[in-house]
């Protein structure tokens, strides 16, 4: 039994009504979710059936796009100061979940790409640039993010797309291919090489106005088709010494990499948080199937193996939500650490979600493969959601980002230091404003996200204590291993051993997030989440993932009652658990 | 080794007919060929059955290879048949599943039919008849005992039994519509339970119009052009000769035949792995990152080498499983369940991991990149883990075998085991009469593991293999011994197995795979150590890499295959596979020339 730290209160009986903040209005769907309406209602023009139909045609659902216009989704990506609604990263991650719950194409085409496209301008753009982009997004327009080259992919330093100075203009030359909404978006943010010298000051970001591009110097390339997210518009443009004003440069010539290293911390934290919505739909679909379907004389939902799989998936969703939400909060509270945390989130959350989905797909059986029928949304999400992982920084890129930062942060592990950063973990605590330019490029400082594992250890006993001990041992091993890395193994050319270290560390961070959230959210209204059962399950699973705690186990159906209850009452399978449409 | 034409390229005898088929089909990258990637991508895009490709396979005599020699066909060795299926699968899974289905559909008759029934069906298949297998139903899935399709015995006529009247619907049946014949599992008796089930070979061409209806093809996530449809019988009458096997033995016939077909499905996953690795290698070699080829970045090399290790592991298991059909038929229940659980799961994970190498391009369809092959492969292969016994069904099967797998009941069939793992040993003809629902004397592959581990330790002591390999094999043997002692004590209930039992079954499957790999290596390392793939064999390199992909603990959190072999091992494997490729050979344990090499020769 855990000995309660003094500030925790355990609410008995019906939960106290919370009127503001994260835990307010849990029994009413959030406005975007409500606007989409009941996904299972065949008559709903925005239900799953409608989206599936559109997908079969390879189109975005027009009703879906109109809804996002009416809702003013663009404002979610514009900072408060410019007239938008972007103020808290954790809130944004949750606000985008209804999109990912409903349709991957809409989510990626209208959500992800506008976020990724705009964020560099919020970091480094001047007043006029920010105003222009804000107006585009607030007016329902789109911005395409043309950062990578197909030839060199995520090796942006190898980019061959150039912008050459010509008086008070720049001449753009090269191709941008497989870019979401390129050719249809009103604004384009684009990465170009502005200097032939090697090194990190040779690239610049530009904000371009699509309508202003000279038709004689730009060719639209044919749309690239995908099998996944069939409706996503992936375009390309070929620039032939296309003139653009020199004032298109965002943040000063040569500052692109720095800007991107900051900006992507936001996107890499928010997007994984949002994709949990997609997994929610898939898990919900399988729960519904399992309750209805009878095999061997029982409902599938009564079979122990199926129950364990469903429980594990729900627990993993909570792990992902813990890590992603805390990383989003860290952007506000600990901007010197987020270069590391954001990469860890973008690496680990897609892996955990994908594996959970594969496991529950086995329960669904043949119906996980059919494009028709009540479970058809499962295979559509299965096809679509990995796109979110790949299109913006895949696993190897994220790990490569983490590697050079491990040495410094590892020195602070297991050290006594400032107390636990409870504001970081407390889901309903307020946050200072997001200051994107203040985000560090290389992480430094005490590792507040991992810290609960060693600072709270003394307060734990039983399985939680044993688990904390495992992670403490892991941190000690990691620190020694990192110290032993050769210099080359701290770069993108690093040997695979370094990648493994980074991957293991990401798992430790997830454990820290889970423990931290549990310890520091006394206002959590949900009894299941206040209880330690899910934490034991989550930490055990994370430990097993890195080959530790083999002797430790957890009740395999621990999350089933809560999962079924939320399915019945229509609440989300995440840390907040708000009502769905 | 026999020599392939052109430069002095060798091909392993087991793969000789496979190589012939590859040569006849030509380079799949050549859009002018019938069985080209381009044509398959087009058919998939339009969700059309690849009729032309199947016809090409018919013209090349492939259907004859689905028919045993005693039924008038060319099928002699199932391990060779597996390699043929692999050739087709590595080009296109829709074709492999759509064309190869006849093999699976007819298998009931090869297992339990009379000589006359086999001969008649054999002729039909050799002439191109398509056979499908009607097992599953909409409301019962793979719960075969609960089936609702009935076949009422008609009253005897003046000349004896008059046959059956079939009513009911089978659903999600591969080739139910295209097929000319369908092997149906139906309820012939009134009492509930297995004794009331029978298999009937229904010839649709001989049914009265109106007595059956094929259901529309389902729209699928993958193998989009395949005919996965259904058939509804309303008073369809078949003659007494339609009954396959003795009356009341239908379920037994199906379960035993599934042992055979589940082994054959290994060819599908193996081909898919071949394809995926080939695509990723192509991609990594053509792209540049950070001043060099993507393929040369250490992390990419490692990802590719791990996929290579998965491929070699899958190949090793397939080689042994195919031989086990002949050499250890009484144990096929264990081997087939292990293989049908493990390989699709392993290969789906391999393909997902390779997606990381292929990157965003893996999402593209059509001509933009490699004909969109990668995303199609990912979607197509998912089905292999679902049909003909899903992963759960196969784990369930292993659980019911637990009491037989431990030391108390196991009696190692030493000659059978030796024949199963020694690629040069003669194999007896496949004898379906020796198939059994349960492996009453355990699994010889598992039983042979302790001695095999000793063999590897001896090799290490002589300096022939690294100590690290001996340690891995010993750990596998020890873990397996503990596992078998534990599962032997499990009393499987009729249905509600706890999740721990499923995880133990996963461990059993992994031990079977590991045991197969170890013993395959021991039995063949000297001979194959001297050939063109010798560098994989000589110091146990492939074995060490493959075993590194089998984790030490059961299921539970995370990917079952998140283990990694030593970085040094994967590095060496990467280099050896590169050299093997430069010499003109596919990434395989056995010498098999690549199309590029054949062309140059």
């Amino acid at each position: 039994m855990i000995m309660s730290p003094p500030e925790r209160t355990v609410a008995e009986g019906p939960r106290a009504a919370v009127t503001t903040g994260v835990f307010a209005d849990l029994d009413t769907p959030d406005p975007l979710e409500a606007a989409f309406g009941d996904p299972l209602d065949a008559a709903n023009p925005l239900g799953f059936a409608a989206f599936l139909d559109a997908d079969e045609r390879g189109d975005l659902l027009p009703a879906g796009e109109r809804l996002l216009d009416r809702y003013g989704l663009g404002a979610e990506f514009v900072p408060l100061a410019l007239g938008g609604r972007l103020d808290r990263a954790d809130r944004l991650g949750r606000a985008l979940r209804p999109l990912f719950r409903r349709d991957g194409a809409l989510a990626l085409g209208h959500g992800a790409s506008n976020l990724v496209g705009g964020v560099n301008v919020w970091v480094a753009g001047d007043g006029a640039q920010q105003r222009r982009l804000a107006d585009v997004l607030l007016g329902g327009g789109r911005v395409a993010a043309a950062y990578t080259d197909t030839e060199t992919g995520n090796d942006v330093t190898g980019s061959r797309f150039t912008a050459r100075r010509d008086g008070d203009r720049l001449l753009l030359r090269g191709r941008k291919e497989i870019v979401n909404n390129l050719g249809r978006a009103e604004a384009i943010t684009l990465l170009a090489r502005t200097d032939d010298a090697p090194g990190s000051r040779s690239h610049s970001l530009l904000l371009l106005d699509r309508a202003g591009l000279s038709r004689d110097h730009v060719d639209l390339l044919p749309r690239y088709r995908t099998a996944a997210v069939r409706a996503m518009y992936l375009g390309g443009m070929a620039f032939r010494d296309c003139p653009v004003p020199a004032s298109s440069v965002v943040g000063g010539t040569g500052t692109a990499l720095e800007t991107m290293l900051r900006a992507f911390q936001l996107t890499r934290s928010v997007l994984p948080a949002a994709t949990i919505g997609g997994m929610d739909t898939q898990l919900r679909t399988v729960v519904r199937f399992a309750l209805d379907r009878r095999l061997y004389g029982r409902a599938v939902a009564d079979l122990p193996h199926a129950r364990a799989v469903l429980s594990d998936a729900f627990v993993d969703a909570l792990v992902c939500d813990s890590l992603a939400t805390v990383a989003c909060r860290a952007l506000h509270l600990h901007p010197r650490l987020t270069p590391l945390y954001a990469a860890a989130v973008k690496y680990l959350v897609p892996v955990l979600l994908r594996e959970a989905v594969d496991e529950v797909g086995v329960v669904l059986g043949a119906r996980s493969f059919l494009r028709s029928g009540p479970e058809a949304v499962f295979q559509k999400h299965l096809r679509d959601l990995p796109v979110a992982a790949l299109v913006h920084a895949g696993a190897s890129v994220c790990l490569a980002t983490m590697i050079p930062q491990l040495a410094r942060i590892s020195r602070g592990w297991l050290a006594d230091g400032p107390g636990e950063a409870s504001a970081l973990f407390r889901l309903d605590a307020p946050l200072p404003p997001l200051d994107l330019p203040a985000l560090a490029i290389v992480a430094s400082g005490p590792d507040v996200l991992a810290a609960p594992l060693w600072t709270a250890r003394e307060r734990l006993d039983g399985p939680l204590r044993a688990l904390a001990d495992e992670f403490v041992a892991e941190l000690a091993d990691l620190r020694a291993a990192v110290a032993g890395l050769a210099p080359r193994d701290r770069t993108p050319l690093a040997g695979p051993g370094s990648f493994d270290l980074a991957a293991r560390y990401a798992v430790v961070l997830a454990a820290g997030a889970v423990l931290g959230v549990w310890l520091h959210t006394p206002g959590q209204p949900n009894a299941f989440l206040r209880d330690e059962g899910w934490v034991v399950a989550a930490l055990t699973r994370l430990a097993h993932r890195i080959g530790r705690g083999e002797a430790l186990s957890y009740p395999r159906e621990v999350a089933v009652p809560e999962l079924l209850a939320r399915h019945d009452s229509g609440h989300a399978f995440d840390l907040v658990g708000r009502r769905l449409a | 080794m026999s020599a392939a034409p052109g430069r002095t390229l060798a091909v392993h005898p087991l793969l000789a007919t496979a190589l012939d088929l590859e040569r006849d089909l030509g380079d799949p990258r050549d859009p002018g060929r019938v069985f080209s990637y381009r044509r398959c991508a087009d058919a998939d895009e339009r969700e059309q059955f690849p009729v032309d490709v199947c016809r090409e396979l018919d013209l090349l005599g492939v259907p004859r290879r689905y028919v045993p020699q005693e039924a008038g066909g060319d099928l002699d060795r199932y391990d060779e048949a597996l390699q043929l299926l692999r050739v087709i699968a590595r080009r296109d899974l829709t074709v492999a599943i759509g064309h190869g289905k006849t093999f699976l559909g007819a298998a009931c008759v090869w297992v339990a039919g009379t000589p006359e029934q086999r001969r008649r069906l054999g002729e039909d298949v050799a002439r191109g008849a398509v056979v499908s297998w009607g097992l599953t139903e909409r409301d019962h899935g793979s719960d075969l005992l609960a089936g609702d399709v009935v076949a009422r015995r008609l009253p005897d006529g003046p000349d004896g039994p008059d046959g059956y009247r079939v009513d009911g619907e089978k659903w999600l049946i591969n080739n139910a519509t295209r097929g000319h014949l369908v092997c149906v599992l139906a309820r012939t008796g009134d009492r509930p339970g297995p004794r009331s089930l029978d298999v009937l070979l229904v010839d649709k061409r001989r049914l009265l119009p109106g007595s059956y209806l094929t259901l529309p093809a389902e729209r699928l996530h993958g193998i989009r052009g395949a005919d996965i449809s259904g058939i509804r019988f309303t008073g369809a009458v078949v003659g007494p000769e339609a009954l396959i096997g003795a009356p009341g033995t239908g379920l037994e016939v199906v379960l035993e035949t599934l042992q055979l077909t589940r082994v054959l499905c290994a060819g599908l996953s193996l081909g898919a792995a071949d394809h995926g690795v080939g695509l990723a290698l192509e991609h990594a070699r053509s792209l540049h990152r950070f001043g060099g080829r993507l393929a040369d970045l250490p992390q990419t090399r490692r990802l590719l080498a791990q996929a290579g290790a998965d491929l070699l592991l899958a190949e090793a298991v397939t080689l042994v499983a195919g031989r086990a059909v002949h050499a250890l038929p009484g144990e096929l229940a264990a081997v087939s369940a292990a293989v049908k659980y493990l390989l699709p799961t392993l290969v789906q994970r391999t393909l997902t991991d390779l997606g990381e190498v292929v990157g965003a391009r893996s999402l593209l369809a059509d001509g933009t990149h490699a004909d969109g092959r990668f995303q199609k492969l990912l979607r197509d292969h998912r089905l292999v883990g679902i049909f003909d016994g899903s992963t759960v069904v196969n784990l369930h099967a292993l659980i019911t075998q637990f009491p037989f797998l431990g030391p108390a009941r196991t009696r190692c069939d030493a000659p059978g085991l030796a024949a199963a793992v020694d690629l040069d040993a003669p194999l007896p003809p496949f004898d379906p009469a020796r198939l059994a629902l349960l492996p009453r004397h355990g699994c010889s592959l598992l039983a042979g593991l302790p001695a095999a581990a000793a063999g590897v330790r001896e090799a290490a002591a002589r300096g022939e293999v690294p100590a690290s390999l001996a340690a891995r094999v010993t750990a596998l043997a020890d873990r397996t011994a503990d596992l078998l002692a534990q599962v032997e004590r499990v009393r499987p209930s009729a249905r509600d197995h706890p999740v721990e039992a499923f995880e133990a079954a996963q461990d059993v499957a992994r031990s079977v795979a590991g045991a197969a790999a170890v013993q395959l290596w021991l039995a063949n390392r000297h001979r194959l150590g001297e050939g063109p793939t010798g560098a994989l064999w000589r110091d146990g390199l492939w074995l060490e890499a493959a075993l590194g992909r089998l984790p030490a603990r059961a299921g539970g959190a995370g990917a079952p295959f998140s283990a990694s072999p030593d970085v040094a091992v994967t590095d060496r494997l990467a280099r050896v596979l590169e050299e093997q490729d430069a010499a003109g050979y596919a990434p395989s344990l056995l010498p098999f020339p690549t199309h590029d090499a054949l062309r140059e020769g």
Side-chain angles (χ1 to χ4, degrees):
Chain A
M1 292 324 288
I2 183 191
M3 299 166 286
S4 306
E7 70 269 23
R8 290 188 65 227
T9 54
V10 178
E12 300 293 347
R15 59 170 183 260
V18 178
T19 51
T20 59
V22 167
F23 295 121
D25 303 325
L26 291 183
D27 288 328
T28 51
D30 91 15
L32 182 56
E33 175 72 28
F36 274 121
D38 181 359
L40 297 178
D41 177 359
N44 179 1
L46 294 161
F48 286 145
F51 280 102
L52 281 160
D53 271 347
D55 179 72
E56 290 286 317
R57 294 190 306 268
D59 291 335
L60 279 176
L61 183 65
E65 295 198 281
R66 284 195 301 271
L67 169 71
L68 295 184
D69 273 342
R70 278 197 313 272
Y71 178 79
L73 186 72
E76 296 291 348
F77 310 115
V78 175
L80 215 51
L82 292 164
R85 292 197 288 268
L86 174 53
D87 64 341
R88 283 173 58 146
D90 58 342
R91 198 198 63 77
L92 179 59
R94 281 192 292 270
L96 295 176
R97 267 180 211 167
L99 266 181
F100 281 90
R101 268 194 208 105
R102 194 64 52 131
D103 183 57
L106 215 54
L108 291 167
H110 282 260
S113 55
N114 283 339
L115 179 65
V116 174
V119 69
N120 284 294
V121 177
W122 313 139
V123 170
D126 63 32
Q129 290 166 335
Q130 292 191 346
R131 184 72 260 153
R132 268 203 336 269
L133 183 59
D135 286 343
V136 167
L137 291 172
L138 291 171
R142 282 172 290 203
V143 54
Y147 302 139
T148 58
D149 285 358
T150 27
E151 271 306 304
T152 50
N154 282 298
D155 172 19
V156 293
T157 54
S159 170
R160 289 194 236 154
F161 189 99
T162 58
R164 298 282 165 226
R165 200 73 199 229
D166 179 53
D168 64 348
R169 312 181 306 171
L170 292 167
L171 300 180
L172 305 183
R173 181 188 295 182
R175 293 162 71 101
K176 292 292 184 187
E177 298 171 306
I178 321 180
V179 175
N180 200 358
N181 289 330
L182 189 62
R184 297 202 312 188
E186 291 82 349
I188 305 170
T189 50
L190 178 152
L191 175 72
R193 175 178 278 283
T194 38
D195 190 326
D196 283 329
S200 57
R201 317 266 329 157
S202 306
H203 295 79
S204 305
L205 283 165
L206 307 178
L207 174 64
L208 305 177
D209 172 29
R210 169 79 180 95
L213 294 176
S214 157
R215 299 183 101 143
D216 296 330
H217 295 91
V218 172
D219 297 319
L220 209 51
L221 302 174
R223 177 183 176 184
Y224 298 83
R225 294 189 318 102
T226 50
V229 198
R230 288 159 57 83
M232 188 163 69
Y233 186 93
L234 293 178
M237 290 173 97
F239 295 76
R240 291 175 283 106
D241 290 329
C242 177
V244 298
S247 58
S248 307
V249 175
V250 173
T253 308
T255 62
L257 290 190
E258 247 177 70
T259 301
M260 284 162 61
L261 284 171
R262 294 192 165 92
F264 290 165
Q265 292 172 39
L266 178 64
T267 56
R268 287 177 182 181
S269 307
V270 167
L271 283 178
T275 60
I276 293 170
M279 189 266 198
D280 184 303
T281 291
Q282 290 173 296
L283 179 53
R284 199 167 299 266
T285 304
V286 179
V287 170
R288 193 175 63 244
F289 168 83
L291 288 169
D292 284 341
R293 174 85 163 167
R294 299 189 70 77
L295 275 184
Y296 311 108
R298 325 265 253 118
V300 168
D302 291 332
L303 298 172
H305 177 256
R307 291 168 75 85
V309 166
L310 293 173
S311 179
D312 284 347
F314 184 22
V315 167
D316 284 354
L318 294 171
V319 170
C320 291
D321 199 7
S322 301
L323 179 61
T325 300
V326 169
C328 285
R329 295 179 64 81
L331 291 166
H332 296 256
L333 291 167
H334 301 282
R336 286 167 53 209
L337 290 159
T338 47
L340 204 41
Y341 295 165
V345 173
K346 189 67 174 64
Y347 156 67
L348 187 59
V349 166
V351 171
L352 292 181
L353 291 181
R354 189 191 67 226
E355 289 176 5
V357 161
D358 281 347
E359 290 292 313
V360 302
V362 169
V363 173
L364 198 50
R367 284 164 175 79
S368 69
F369 211 71
L370 299 182
R371 291 188 356 239
S372 60
E375 293 87 17
V377 69
F378 185 92
Q379 61 81 36
K380 179 164 159 298
H381 275 21
L382 189 70
R383 212 192 47 189
D384 290 349
L385 296 177
V387 176
L390 270 184
V391 167
H392 176 54
S396 290
V397 171
C398 292
L399 292 174
T401 305
M402 292 170 69
I403 290 168
Q405 304 183 66
L406 293 177
R408 204 155 158 196
I409 196 138
S410 66
R411 287 182 219 127
W413 290 339
L414 310 181
D416 292 329
E420 289 167 48
S422 58
L424 174 65
F425 298 108
R426 186 173 167 162
L427 299 176
D428 55 347
L431 291 172
L434 186 60
D435 183 0
L436 291 174
L439 294 175
I441 295 190
V442 175
S444 67
D447 190 346
V448 291
L449 180 37
L453 294 167
W454 70 84
T455 59
R457 204 160 60 118
E458 303 303 316
R459 306 205 304 271
L460 307 173
D461 63 5
L464 279 184
R465 174 59 186 262
L467 286 159
D469 286 345
E470 292 288 342
F471 287 105
V472 163
E474 176 68 20
L475 282 168
D477 285 352
L478 281 175
R479 182 171 54 196
V482 165
L485 286 179
R488 186 191 169 94
D489 284 331
R490 304 177 187 192
T491 69
L493 302 172
S498 306
F499 284 79
D500 283 349
L501 295 181
R504 298 173 74 89
Y505 173 56
V507 173
V508 174
L509 284 178
V514 166
L515 188 59
V517 162
W518 181 67
L519 285 171
H520 293 287
T521 309
Q524 170 58 262
N526 179 283
F528 168 76
L529 291 174
R530 285 200 307 273
D531 193 67
E532 73 173 42
W534 76 276
V535 182
V536 172
L539 294 183
T540 311
R541 290 176 65 69
L542 288 169
H544 287 169
R545 177 174 278 278
I546 52 175
R548 289 194 177 269
E550 279 195 27
L552 300 173
S553 65
Y554 59 95
R556 298 305 298 274
E557 299 186 10
V558 65
V560 170
E562 179 68 17
L563 181 71
L564 295 180
R566 291 193 190 201
H567 171 263
D568 260 349
S569 65
H571 286 78
F573 299 143
D574 61 24
L575 288 171
V576 172
R578 199 158 173 185
R579 184 91 166 69
L580 302 181
Chain B
M1 312 286 168
S2 45
R7 76 159 115 155
T8 45
L9 288 167
V11 62
H12 191 278
L14 176 65
L15 304 181
T17 38
L19 185 62
D20 285 342
L21 183 59
E22 278 286 358
R23 271 209 303 269
D24 287 339
L25 292 172
D27 191 331
R29 293 168 298 189
D30 177 358
R33 290 293 198 157
V34 174
F35 199 170
S36 64
Y37 294 136
R38 174 63 54 81
R39 194 174 296 236
C40 294
D42 284 347
D44 184 71
E45 178 57 26
R46 288 177 286 117
E47 300 203 62
Q48 288 186 350
F49 191 87
V51 176
D52 291 348
V53 177
C54 288
R55 193 179 307 127
E56 172 87 344
L57 293 175
D58 287 349
L59 290 174
L60 289 172
V62 172
R64 293 183 56 82
R65 304 211 171 264
Y66 299 159
V67 178
Q69 281 175 351
E70 68 267 18
D74 290 340
L75 170 62
D76 166 35
R77 294 259 299 255
Y78 280 85
D79 54 340
E80 277 182 27
L82 267 168
Q83 297 296 333
L84 270 175
L85 203 49
R86 178 187 186 178
V87 168
I88 302 172
R90 77 171 149 244
R91 287 177 190 238
D92 187 63
L93 281 170
T94 307
V95 173
I97 288 167
H99 193 270
K101 184 66 207 181
T102 293
F103 202 167
L104 307 188
C108 271
V109 179
W110 312 149
V111 164
T114 63
E116 174 59 22
Q117 285 171 327
R118 292 176 189 174
R119 197 194 49 76
R120 199 132 36 88
L121 183 61
E123 270 173 21
D124 222 342
V125 169
R127 280 195 311 261
V130 173
V131 188
S132 104
W133 202 2
L135 291 180
T136 55
E137 299 177 17
R138 193 181 305 263
D139 292 335
H140 308 297
S142 45
D143 182 3
L144 300 180
L145 265 176
D148 284 331
V149 171
V150 295
R152 285 182 201 83
R153 269 199 72 166
L154 299 173
D156 287 358
D159 302 315
D162 240 4
Y164 302 84
R165 182 202 146 109
V166 184
D167 288 275
E169 185 182 296
K170 292 291 184 188
W171 185 65
L172 288 187
I173 307 298
N174 189 2
N175 286 335
T177 302
R178 285 188 64 245
H180 304 95
L181 301 119
V182 52
C183 235
V184 178
L185 179 68
R187 182 164 295 287
T188 46
D190 290 323
R191 286 201 295 265
R195 293 278 133 223
S196 302
L197 293 171
D198 274 299
V199 174
L200 298 175
L201 178 64
V202 177
D203 190 336
K204 286 158 66 184
R205 300 166 296 194
R206 292 171 56 193
L207 294 179
L208 289 177
S211 67
Y212 81 94
L213 184 63
T214 53
L215 306 174
E218 290 295 329
R219 285 177 294 129
L220 306 170
H221 172 85
I223 57 166
R224 285 156 47 104
D227 168 24
I228 307 287
S229 54
I231 184 163
R232 182 186 301 148
F233 300 102
T234 36
V237 172
V238 298
E241 72 286 353
L243 178 69
I244 306 295
T249 62
L251 188 63
E252 209 175 293
V253 168
V254 165
L255 292 176
E256 287 176 359
T257 306
L258 279 170
Q259 294 176 19
L260 191 58
T261 60
R262 285 168 184 174
V263 169
L264 288 172
C265 285
L268 299 174
S269 288
L270 187 52
D274 285 332
H275 195 171
V277 168
L279 267 172
L281 273 173
E282 221 177 271
H283 176 80
R285 284 174 185 161
S286 62
L287 277 180
H288 287 76
R289 293 280 183 279
F290 303 108
R293 290 185 322 171
L294 176 63
D296 297 324
L297 287 180
Q299 176 66 351
T300 311
R301 257 170 84 86
R302 198 258 290 259
L303 289 174
L304 291 170
Q306 281 179 343
D310 287 350
L311 173 56
L312 297 178
L313 173 61
E315 186 177 39
V317 171
T318 305
L319 287 170
V320 173
R323 293 183 66 89
V325 170
H326 296 265
L328 297 164
E331 302 178 12
L332 212 56
V335 174
S336 65
V339 166
K340 186 64 173 57
Y341 156 70
L342 197 79
L343 289 195
T345 312
L346 169 66
V347 171
Q348 192 64 33
R349 200 62 50 102
T350 309
L351 295 176
T352 307
D353 290 347
L354 285 171
E356 173 66 22
V357 174
V358 180
R361 286 205 160 96
S362 70
L363 309 170
L364 296 176
D366 74 39
T368 318
H369 172 69
D371 305 302
R373 278 151 55 199
F374 194 85
Q375 53 80 21
K376 178 179 180 306
L377 180 60
L378 261 177
R379 286 183 294 108
D380 290 350
H381 182 262
R382 258 184 202 279
L383 183 66
V384 180
I386 298 173
F387 79 104
D388 271 13
S390 66
T391 53
V392 175
V393 164
N394 284 288
L395 290 175
H396 201 279
L398 279 173
I399 294 172
T400 59
Q401 298 169 33
F402 279 174
F404 304 98
L405 298 179
R409 310 279 286 264
T410 297
R411 286 208 315 254
C412 183
D413 173 358
L417 178 60
V421 299
D422 180 348
L423 294 174
D424 289 338
L427 284 176
F430 168 55
D431 183 1
R434 290 177 60 197
L435 290 172
L437 291 179
L438 293 166
R440 303 236 163 239
H441 300 298
C443 175
S444 298
L445 279 170
L446 293 175
L449 188 51
V456 176
R457 283 193 295 274
E458 283 160 28
R462 288 193 298 267
E464 293 163 13
V465 300
S468 51
L469 174 58
R472 264 200 200 274
V473 174
T474 301
L476 171 68
D478 290 345
R479 237 170 27 239
T480 303
D482 288 342
L483 175 66
L484 296 179
Q486 184 196 318
V487 302
E488 171 178 72
R489 292 192 296 266
V490 169
R491 290 279 152 267
S493 66
R495 34 192 71 151
D496 268 8
H497 302 300
V499 65
E500 289 77 15
F502 282 89
E503 288 172 350
Q506 289 176 343
D507 284 341
V508 168
R510 286 191 275 261
S511 285
V512 169
V518 173
Q519 291 169 94
L520 180 75
W521 177 76
L522 268 174
N524 300 282
R525 63 187 183 112
H526 293 302
R527 229 165 305 103
L528 284 166
E530 288 163 18
T533 59
L536 287 172
W537 289 83
R538 277 192 290 270
D539 55 356
L541 175 61
W542 77 258
L543 179 62
E544 193 164 3
L547 290 181
R549 298 299 282 167
L550 291 172
R553 76 173 306 282
F561 305 102
S562 57
S564 21
D566 268 341
V567 169
V569 171
T570 43
D571 213 57
R572 266 167 57 222
L573 182 66
R575 206 174 41 251
V576 166
L577 289 177
E578 276 163 18
E579 286 163 2
Q580 194 164 301
D581 178 68
Y585 293 98
S588 163
L589 295 174
L590 309 178
F592 193 83
T594 59
H595 275 285
D596 285 339
L598 290 175
R599 209 181 30 247
E600 287 161 26

